[in-house]
Amino acid sequence: MTLKLHNFFRSSTSTRLRAALNLKGLEYDYIAYALRKGETRTPEYLAKNPQGLVPSLELDDGTNPTQSLAIIDYLDHIAPDPALLPSDPVLRAKVQAAAHTMALDVHPVNNLKVIQHLEANHGLSKDDSQNWMRHWMSQGLGAYQALLPNGNAFSFSDTPQLCDICLVAQLYNAHRWGVDMTPFARLLEIEEHALKLPAFDAARPENQPDA
């Protein structure tokens, strides 16, 4: 099976998917798009993903699953080892809730298209935009940390799961935009454990060919 990953090096959703593919040992062709140049708004790419977003994962038959969480769920079915969601239903719900805190609460309001709209149509300066992003990231990181038990290398276990993938991708943005990480020592420990793994290190934005 030949997988084609349509992505952008600094996209946190793309980072999630790169980490998941790497953890599962799945090879893929890396296809880069420059978001600020509108390369995902071309007719060719919109035919693959009508939202004009990254990532999408093109399969052998031309099918293009979109949305990082949906694609990772697909990967968990076709390559179930290692599983990124636990089988225990209660723990599975906790892992998904933590993942959704990052992916569905924090990320959408800090998405590039949201920031661009705020700057272009609501008078936000660059400083305003960065304060906006820091506010929502800090709030979300605090909520995520409050969900966690103690004693694990990662969020809920000693191996990375879906929530850890979403967390580490978002922490890249937190560092980039100057979020005060002093209150989030537990999250920094998780990040440190993750980035020691080749799968996460290879997924880092700075390690991509279009960086």
Side-chain angles (χ1 to χ4, degrees):
M1 178 173 60
T2 301
L3 300 174
K4 296 180 181 178
L5 176 61
H6 301 270
N7 76 143
F8 172 60
F9 79 99
R10 214 155 45 201
S11 155
S12 58
T13 53
S14 297
T15 303
R16 294 174 203 158
L17 189 49
R18 292 193 298 264
L21 287 161
N22 296 342
L23 284 166
K24 291 179 176 295
L26 295 172
E27 295 184 358
Y28 54 90
D29 294 335
Y30 185 104
I31 303 173
Y33 294 80
L35 300 190
R36 288 190 178 275
K37 294 181 180 179
E39 291 181 357
T40 60
R41 307 303 304 176
T42 65
E44 291 78 15
Y45 187 74
L46 290 172
K48 300 179 187 299
N49 182 353
Q51 285 186 288
L53 301 175
V54 290
S56 65
L57 188 68
E58 188 172 349
L59 311 182
D60 281 338
D61 63 0
T63 302
N64 281 274
T66 63
Q67 292 290 340
S68 63
L69 297 187
I71 299 171
I72 292 172
D73 181 71
Y74 164 79
L75 296 178
D76 238 9
H77 282 81
I78 67 164
D81 186 27
L84 298 178
L85 282 169
S87 57
D88 177 80
V90 173
L91 185 55
R92 185 184 182 94
K94 290 181 178 180
V95 169
Q96 286 182 310
H100 293 177
T101 299
M102 292 294 99
L104 304 185
D105 291 340
V106 176
H107 171 259
V109 293
N110 288 335
N111 191 279
L112 176 62
K113 66 180 182 180
V114 172
I115 299 304
Q116 288 177 329
H117 179 80
L118 290 172
E119 291 177 354
N121 298 285
H122 295 278
L124 264 68
S125 68
K126 293 295 182 183
D127 285 344
D128 292 335
S129 296
Q130 292 182 22
N131 287 333
W132 165 282
M133 289 188 286
R134 285 190 288 265
H135 168 79
W136 293 115
M137 280 190 269
S138 296
Q139 186 180 87
L141 293 172
Y144 187 108
Q145 187 167 256
L147 294 171
L148 303 185
N150 294 318
N152 302 308
F154 292 92
S155 297
F156 293 94
S157 72
D158 289 328
T159 56
Q161 297 176 314
L162 176 64
C163 55
D164 302 295
I165 289 172
C166 294
L167 172 66
V168 172
Q170 190 61 53
L171 286 175
Y172 171 84
N173 291 331
H175 295 308
R176 182 185 177 205
W177 296 113
V179 172
D180 178 9
M181 297 301 295
T182 305
F184 308 123
R186 175 81 171 92
L187 305 187
L188 292 177
E189 290 175 358
I190 294 169
E191 181 185 41
E192 182 179 3
H193 285 297
L195 294 178
K196 288 179 180 177
L197 299 178
F200 279 92
D201 183 60
R204 291 185 195 225
E206 60 266 33
N207 290 338
Q208 307 316 307
D210 54 328

